[in-house]
Amino acid sequence: MSGAKPDHNSGSRGSRPARAPADIPAARSSAPLDRLPGLLAALCDRLPADRTVVLEHVLETATDPDDPLLNRFVAAQPAAGLAHQLTGITRVWRAEAPGMTGAGLALALATARSLPRPQPAQVVVSGPLSASVSARLTSGVAVEVIRSASTSLLIASFAAYGARDLVAEIGRAVGRGVSVDLLLEESTQASAAFVALPSEVRVWHRVATSGVLHAKLVAADRHTALLGSANLTDRALSDNIELGVVLRDPYVVEPLVDHFHWLLASENKVMRRA
């Protein structure tokens, strides 16, 4: 292999079936906050798990929203706004479900607590770092995402060159049993960067002659995805001015992964094995 491949963005534009948008659960905080489920979800998102468990124990002993023990617990909360938030819950409890015992409310709160809590998106950059944005370098985050995979890796890039740390990390993932799919743009000879990987790694190219594969994605299992402008090249991962984001919310990542698996399905005639 001789000469560095260009790192510019040019050109135009076996899995679970993709879920319809209506099937994708919304974040819990999007529930109406004037109704009991929304208020409980918002409270669960605010409180650490151990404090939520304490509240559940208090609720289990309460016979109704006017139980004196519950009222004393609410009044004793030192955190700013928490007593007001709990008072709002008891008020709506009284209005919406006066016949429900505290044990029923404790069960609802425990159910909300058991759901995975979405983590906020994280900005990643390549090139110079400023103090304006709390960000991490693309190269390190890409390795971190690959390491987090336990069953599958789905990686897409328009161009690829060098990036030996990432290639080595992908190889280690294969060694621990992770299934790897690489979606690469054929016109940039991106697949040459991965020739050292084991043969079980699947490389895919676009079928159509018009347009190119321009996406940049590193998705670990169905829980984490790195999206951004950076190709898998040494310059893009470290030196170029690039911008990306890491998503760690399965509700967002799952349909994204499903979409790319749909692209790989042979009957859709979008991608083909290299």
Side-chain angles (χ1 to χ4, degrees), residues 10-42:
S10 61
S12 59
R13 339 169 285 185
S15 61
R16 285 167 44 182
R19 295 181 297 180
D23 296 329
I24 301 172
R28 292 179 312 197
S29 58
S30 66
L33 294 182
D34 58 344
R35 305 298 301 275
L36 197 53
L39 290 170
L40 290 175

Side-chain angles (χ1 to χ4, degrees), residues 73-89:
F73 176 83
V74 171
Q77 296 308 303
L82 181 56
H84 177 75
Q85 191 173 7
L86 292 171
T87 300
I89 289 175

Side-chain angles (χ1 to χ4, degrees), residues 111-133:
T111 301
R113 177 171 53 84
S114 70
L115 296 174
R117 299 191 180 195
Q119 298 183 41
Q122 179 187 30
V123 173
V124 298
V125 299
S126 298
L129 284 172
S130 75
S132 301
V133 177

